[in-house]
Amino acid sequence: MAKTTSLEDIVSLCKRRGFIFPGSEVYGGLSGTWDYGPLGVELKRNIMQLWWKMFVDDREDMYGIDAAILMNQKVWQASGHVDTFTDPLVECSNCHGRFRADKIDISKCPTCGKKNTFGEPRQFNMMFKTNIGPVEPKVIVSWTEGEQVIPGSISGKYDDEAETSRVYLRPETAQGIFTNYKNVVDSFYPDLPFGLAQQGKAFRNEISPRDFVFRSREFEQMEIEYFVHPDNWEAELEKWRLQTWEWTRALGLPDDQVHELDVPESDRAHYSKKTIDFEFDFPIGREELSGLAYRTDFDLMNIQNNSGKNMEYRPKDGGKAFVPHVIEPTYGVERAIMAVLSAAYTEDEVNGEKRTYLKLPAHLAPVKVAVSPLLKNKPELVAKAREVYATLKKEFGSVMWDDNGNIGKRYRRQDEIGTPYCVTIDFDSLEDDSVTVRNRDTTDQERVAIAELSKKLK
Ligand code: GAP
């Protein structure tokens, strides 16, 4: 049964405790952008590192790459993004609010409430455009007698210089992988099947960014293009389906909140012959967490046809060369973060008081251990606690020194950010070289010898 955590609970905790802040907030914000604070950046890194370990480091058939975000515009022409990476846009003739036609009931404007104010949807391309080099795009406005050129304008038909210097911020990391497929084949001679993995930023000019980081204009993807023989795509897709379940479990997401959706042809991306969406019961409802697509040889063939370079794979046993087909498991970092936080967000009662805590898997927790002297005005306690802190910090890295407020308040604060253990140094510690270790989930406390501490906390 899904929990009833609200999105507001998560957003408010993230802001209050320094996980995620609205982008450019000090200047009134920038819609669809988010900034990561000290704890958010740790959580995000832990998720991304876990992914890299599972899907690259722990396997023999995977190779990592890190391609440039700015790519030759031919990449996006060949991939079909220039023509088809669009959402249907409608505008209200009364209040001029703009919406995605497939996300609203277009009989009535959701902003001003007026009926029948929308015309036919037009296709809005979601790629962010810019120009490379010292070019100031000029828009050409035509009227009956001739043309007028307006420097720096942002819409309309552009002059030739602006068109040829056009670059897009990548809307998916995948194309940086496809364009490097041949480089890796030529430098590593991998056995097929093999995969290339990349993590990095992607940008989409979403018509309606919404639901916290769920639909942002700037976000991160973790993508794999797995190159297979065309006869084996079904078997390989099945392996990646099972691998994706391993991933959701490693994120601590309960199986009964994760669902597969076999995406019907009409909803599939232009390059896909089969797509399974992995959905999660987010506080906003059941929505896409990650995707798994069979992209056929669509991308490599497009590159071969448009670049004139041969994309064939030559089997080492002398078999016939062929253009590999591709299975693409794709994971959004922000959606993983939102799912992890939603699954971890827990409320209970301790000694008659309501408690909020993040029941994060220890390997994802932004802070692994918090260390406190029982009293911060007793130099001998502070000195001992500092020693323990320094030792643990060397070993665990993300260890927090916390001497604010009384010990009860410290525990609550650490619970709220998901710290699995709190270590407290008291007067007995000075005598017996042991400390109190308090467990986040059970709130149980036990005495542990300092010499045994690192074993206990692992
Ligand atoms: N290369 C395939 C591809 O990009 P996609 O389904 O468009 O496929 C993959 O995106 C994943 O990226 C999604 O499953 C989602 O997790 C994430 N994603 C897509 N758009 C997003 C957005 N606007 N904000 C946050 N995450 C997004």
Side-chain angles (χ1 to χ4, degrees):
M1 192 40 205
K3 283 188 299 177
T4 52
T5 307
S6 74
L7 185 63
E8 288 67 38
D9 292 334
I10 309 276
V11 177
S12 142
L13 187 143
C14 282
K15 175 92 203 288
R16 200 169 60 244
R17 292 295 180 209
F19 280 83
I20 302 175
F21 310 117
S24 313
E25 192 183 15
V26 74
Y27 287 113
L30 182 68
S31 169
T33 66
W34 298 91
D35 295 342
Y36 286 76
L39 297 181
V41 83
E42 291 290 336
L43 175 61
K44 185 175 176 181
R45 270 167 194 252
N46 291 342
I47 289 174
M48 293 176 80
Q49 279 167 4
L50 177 69
W51 186 92
W52 197 265
K53 179 168 174 4
M54 267 182 80
F55 292 131
V56 183
D57 289 345
D58 287 354
R59 299 175 58 123
E60 281 184 30
D61 56 348
M62 295 293 301
Y63 301 81
I65 67 149
D66 188 8
I69 288 176
L70 301 177
M71 302 177 83
N72 191 313
Q73 57 166 302
K74 288 180 184 156
V75 170
W76 307 109
Q77 286 158 359
S79 69
H81 283 79
V82 170
D83 290 335
T84 58
F85 196 62
T86 54
D87 271 342
L89 171 74
V90 283
E91 181 169 338
C92 170
S93 58
N94 183 49
C95 71
H96 300 290
R98 290 179 165 191
F99 307 92
R100 248 180 83 169
D102 57 338
K103 293 284 174 198
I104 58 162
D105 169 6
I106 55 168
S107 64
K108 183 174 164 186
C109 175
T111 304
C112 69
K114 261 206 144 181
K115 286 193 171 157
N116 303 323
T117 54
F118 295 115
E120 277 299 301
R122 69 183 167 89
Q123 293 304 318
F124 172 76
N125 194 297
M126 290 198 289
M127 287 195 290
F128 280 98
K129 298 184 189 83
T130 186
N131 293 81
I132 201 142
V135 177
E136 201 181 0
K138 302 181 190 81
V139 73
I140 302 167
V141 180
S142 307
W143 76 96
T144 39
E145 294 92 35
E147 285 184 337
Q148 184 193 6
V149 174
I150 307 172
S153 190
I154 52 151
S155 64
K157 180 175 162 268
Y158 286 92
D159 66 323
D160 289 347
E161 194 186 9
E163 288 297 347
T164 47
S165 65
R166 160 85 34 91
V167 283
Y168 301 95
L169 300 189
R170 67 181 179 202
E172 61 168 12
T173 57
Q175 294 303 324
I177 299 182
F178 289 123
T179 47
N180 279 289
Y181 152 84
K182 184 127 181 62
N183 286 333
V184 177
V185 168
D186 289 349
S187 52
F188 275 83
Y189 314 108
D191 286 324
L192 197 103
F194 70 94
L196 300 185
Q198 174 166 227
Q199 301 183 327
K201 292 267 187 183
F203 304 83
R204 295 184 188 179
N205 198 359
E206 297 280 355
I207 296 171
S208 320
R210 62 178 169 88
D211 297 325
F212 194 34
V213 295
F214 182 85
R215 191 172 298 287
S216 327
R217 289 187 166 131
E218 175 177 342
F219 56 98
E220 298 220 37
Q221 291 185 320
M222 305 180 284
E223 297 202 294
I224 293 164
E225 306 305 329
Y226 198 71
F227 300 95
V228 303
H229 189 281
D231 292 346
N232 298 341
W233 75 266
E234 272 164 309
E236 297 297 343
L237 184 101
E238 175 60 10
K239 286 187 203 157
W240 280 106
R241 190 183 69 79
L242 298 175
Q243 276 285 296
T244 299
W245 280 100
E246 295 297 309
W247 167 243
T248 57
R249 285 174 197 139
L251 291 180
L253 308 183
D255 277 4
D256 64 355
Q257 290 183 42
V258 179
H259 313 273
E260 288 182 28
L261 173 76
D262 201 342
V263 180
E265 191 179 349
S266 54
D267 291 344
R268 288 201 294 262
H270 59 280
Y271 48 71
S272 172
K273 265 226 170 114
K274 180 174 174 74
T275 298
I276 300 171
D277 277 351
F278 278 77
E279 299 187 318
F280 180 71
D281 291 325
F282 288 99
I284 51 172
R286 187 176 293 184
E287 294 279 0
E288 179 184 337
L289 172 68
S290 70
L292 174 59
Y294 169 43
R295 282 181 90 127
T296 68
D297 56 0
F298 178 85
D299 300 274
L300 290 185
M301 283 306 275
N302 277 337
I303 294 178
Q304 180 163 291
N305 294 338
N306 285 281
S307 70
K309 307 259 162 53
N310 189 333
M311 291 293 130
E312 283 178 336
Y313 178 84
R314 205 160 283 287
K316 290 179 183 166
D317 63 6
K320 197 166 173 291
F322 59 94
V323 174
H325 282 219
V326 169
I327 305 296
E328 180 194 62
T330 170
Y331 307 87
V333 176
E334 283 70 13
R335 294 198 188 172
I337 290 173
M338 221 169 108
V340 164
L341 288 172
S342 319
Y345 190 95
T346 314
E347 286 175 357
D348 66 359
E349 232 183 69
V350 175
N351 304 329
E353 263 183 56
K354 191 183 125 188
R355 169 176 87 127
T356 300
Y357 71 108
L358 288 183
K359 205 172 175 171
L360 292 170
H363 58 273
L364 297 183
V367 176
K368 303 288 177 233
V369 194
V371 178
S372 303
L374 182 64
L375 300 168
K376 74 169 174 186
N377 57 359
K378 297 288 172 201
E380 60 279 33
L381 287 187
V382 173
K384 186 84 181 166
R386 280 277 171 201
E387 260 175 47
V388 173
Y389 169 74
T391 314
L392 292 179
K393 193 145 183 67
K394 226 179 243 162
E395 182 159 359
F396 293 94
S398 179
V399 177
M400 190 184 270
W401 175 261
D402 191 353
D403 60 6
N404 263 333
N406 66 37
I407 199 75
K409 288 219 172 82
R410 291 177 207 163
Y411 288 159
R412 290 304 159 88
R413 199 165 44 237
Q414 295 300 330
D415 285 346
E416 230 190 346
I417 64 172
T419 308
Y421 294 108
C422 291
V423 167
T424 305
I425 286 78
D426 57 20
F427 289 103
D428 288 344
S429 310
L430 304 177
E431 308 297 323
D432 64 4
D433 262 334
S434 63
V435 294
T436 300
V437 174
R438 188 249 191 198
N439 180 301
R440 173 196 70 197
D441 298 344
T442 61
T443 73
D444 289 345
Q445 302 186 15
E446 63 175 305
R447 273 322 260 189
V448 176
I450 291 174
E452 297 292 310
L453 202 48
S454 90
K455 206 160 73 192
K456 166 79 196 164
L457 300 175
K458 265 192 187 131

